[in-house]
Amino acid sequence: MTEILDQEPVIGRSIIGHASRASDLPVLRSAQASWPMPPSRTVLIAHLLDTAVPYVRLLEQSTDLVEVVAVPYSAQPEALSLLNHFSPRVPHSIEEVGATAVAAAKSAAQRAGSPVLIQEVGGYCADAVHQLAGLPLFRGIVEDTKQGQWRYERASPLPLPVFTIADSPLKALEDVQVGRSVAYSVERLLRLRFYRLLSERRVLVLGYGGIGTALAQHLRRTGAHVAVYDPSEVRMSAAVVHGFRVASREELLSWAEVIVGVSGHRSLTTRDLPLLRDGVVLASGSSKQVEFDVEGLYRTASATAEVDEVLELQVADRTVYLLNQGKPVNFMEQSILGSVLDLVYTELYLCTRELARQPWAPGLHRLDPRMQNELAQRWREEYGQR
């Protein structure tokens, strides 16, 4: 493991002005000092945005990063360049991400030495849990996202341990920042490409979980006319209590000028096209291209045209605009920014440390609530008085 920490003052001077260079993750540094990780080898699947660069460098101080696998749609050239000594692997497609990481874990496990782990973001290795469980040195997986947790839950009963932070109370704090980031990206594109103001638009939020709630609230603060749809009656009732417009899904799809999917599931299909307004704008704040049936839209379209981040499709006798090809719009602006990254990255580190410390029983695991409280206190003491 190279001593990147000693170089940080030089790096900081050479990369001023970028989000990944503005934060040195002090809470993570503190956790690494207080709770060092035993010898281990880790395969990392990550969104290699600029903001991820400090985390990858610090993680290298605690574990041997045998492979860094970038999620293709979020791999930023500058981040790849800054991490070039890792030689990050960028698969040609999302479908290859899991296989690339599993192959790296198998190769590492064939060599004698310390335990092998995978830390990932999206459940890319869920289909290979039985292969991985058969490796004698493989300890388990750490998962970051709800989308990934759902994939591991569908693979139950799991033959190996999977630590998840997706439903952690600390991770929930990130939802506020993600919601803001999605709103910002949608507004930027509306201004830049459509010469429209979000405050003058009818916006439908599909999905009223943590991110959907934060997004709807932020959109309302911008002056937008906001409606919410979620298949959960409980969440729809919450939207009513929070003062948002609710109605049948069909009515809201016909009402909306902008539709933002943050459900984590397929929220719009080609069957919905006849319901949509002419000129509707579709944006995703979810992972991959899960919210909208992008392939179906292409198949159905009689004509397409793409300019920068906006895809124009002629479908069902109307024009539909798809932002960022149905991929998360917030990844165009670093996904999220701010101090909450330090909190999330530190919980990921601590979960990885738990797997490195000792064998765990198969199944889903969470970080001990006592350690979550300690982490929250450290984060608050670091950032709460600023």
Side-chain angles (χ1 to χ4, degrees):
M1 294 186 286
T2 57
E3 295 297 327
I4 298 298
L5 292 179
D6 294 338
Q7 303 174 16
E8 286 194 354
V10 176
I11 292 173
R13 288 194 297 271
S14 67
I15 53 181
I16 290 172
H18 290 269
S20 66
R21 302 148 186 174
S23 173
D24 61 359
L25 304 177
V27 177
L28 176 55
R29 291 173 181 272
S30 171
Q32 288 176 306
S34 298
W35 301 297
M37 190 183 302
S40 59
R41 293 171 287 173
T42 300
V43 176
L44 176 66
I45 300 175
H47 294 296
L48 290 188
L49 305 163
D50 284 356
T51 46
V53 172
Y55 175 64
V56 177
R57 286 175 168 161
L58 283 177
L59 187 63
E60 186 195 20
Q61 308 310 303
S62 295
T63 183
D64 178 11
L65 286 179
V66 296
E67 190 78 271
V68 177
V69 183
V71 178
Y73 68 80
S74 58
Q76 293 187 335
E78 187 180 51
L80 295 173
S81 176
L82 291 170
L83 297 173
N84 61 3
H85 72 286
F86 293 103
S87 299
R89 298 283 297 278
V90 185
H92 294 294
S93 68
I94 291 176
E95 290 73 24
E96 298 174 43
V97 172
T100 302
V102 170
K106 287 181 176 179
S107 176
Q110 289 171 358
R111 304 191 301 271
S114 52
V116 178
L117 322 164
I118 291 177
Q119 184 189 118
E120 72 139 317
V121 55
Y124 291 101
C125 299
D127 293 336
V129 288
H130 290 281
Q131 298 178 47
L132 293 167
L135 302 176
L137 290 173
F138 190 76
R139 282 282 177 84
I141 298 169
V142 175
E143 171 56 49
D144 184 0
T145 67
K146 288 183 180 177
Q147 186 73 221
Q149 180 177 315
W150 293 335
R151 293 186 68 178
Y152 284 109
E153 288 174 342
R154 289 195 293 269
S156 295
L158 290 167
L160 47 68
V162 175
F163 266 81
T164 177
I165 73 165
D167 52 11
S168 159
L170 302 180
K171 174 76 171 178
L173 302 178
E174 183 188 53
D175 291 345
V176 176
Q177 297 293 66
V178 174
R180 290 171 178 169
S181 295
V182 172
Y184 171 83
S185 296
V186 172
E187 180 163 30
R188 183 184 69 83
L189 289 174
L190 282 179
R191 287 171 175 266
L192 185 63
R193 303 300 178 207
F194 297 92
Y195 313 110
R196 300 174 185 173
L197 296 174
L198 194 57
S199 60
E200 300 173 350
R201 300 298 103 190
R202 299 175 175 180
V203 185
L204 171 59
V205 176
L206 295 176
Y208 201 62
I211 294 175
T213 300
L215 171 63
Q217 292 172 345
H218 191 71
L219 288 170
R220 180 163 58 188
R221 286 193 290 271
T222 69
H225 307 282
V226 185
V228 168
Y229 178 80
D230 193 292
S232 165
E233 289 295 341
V234 173
R235 290 180 175 178
M236 286 286 274
S237 297
V240 171
V241 171
H242 297 156
F244 293 108
R245 177 189 178 111
V246 298
S248 69
R249 182 174 178 276
E250 291 76 14
E251 180 181 342
L252 293 177
L253 289 177
S254 300
W255 170 86
E257 297 168 305
V258 179
I259 298 174
V260 187
V262 287
S263 69
H265 303 283
R266 181 59 50 84
S267 60
L268 197 77
T269 71
T270 55
R271 294 191 299 273
D272 299 313
L273 291 175
L275 299 171
L276 304 183
R277 296 170 65 95
D278 184 34
V280 69
V281 176
L282 306 180
S284 171
S286 188
S287 63
K288 310 179 184 71
Q289 292 174 307
V290 67
E291 291 291 332
F292 309 128
D293 182 5
V294 177
E295 291 184 2
L297 288 173
Y298 271 106
R299 288 196 306 269
T300 307
S302 59
T304 63
E306 187 167 9
V307 177
D308 297 329
E309 307 98 336
V310 180
L311 175 64
E312 178 181 334
L313 303 104
Q314 300 298 320
V315 290
D317 299 322
R318 69 207 65 205
T319 303
V320 173
Y321 296 100
L322 183 66
L323 304 186
N324 199 29
Q325 296 184 332
K327 295 174 286 191
V329 292
N330 50 311
F331 280 104
M332 300 165 65
E333 278 87 26
Q334 306 298 337
S335 180
I336 63 169
L337 301 172
S339 59
V340 73
L341 282 169
D342 200 1
L343 189 65
V344 174
Y345 283 148
T346 305
E347 188 170 15
L348 283 172
Y349 163 78
L350 291 173
C351 288
T352 305
R353 174 181 176 269
E354 288 301 304
L355 285 175
R357 285 179 59 234
Q358 63 185 27
W360 287 77
L364 282 177
H365 299 273
R366 279 86 176 172
L367 190 65
D368 189 310
R370 293 170 295 182
M371 188 160 286
Q372 289 178 334
N373 283 331
E374 171 71 17
L375 172 53
Q377 179 181 349
R378 292 189 181 205
W379 184 85
R380 178 178 54 80
E381 290 173 350
E382 177 66 35
Y383 296 100
Q385 303 303 317
R386 295 187 178 184

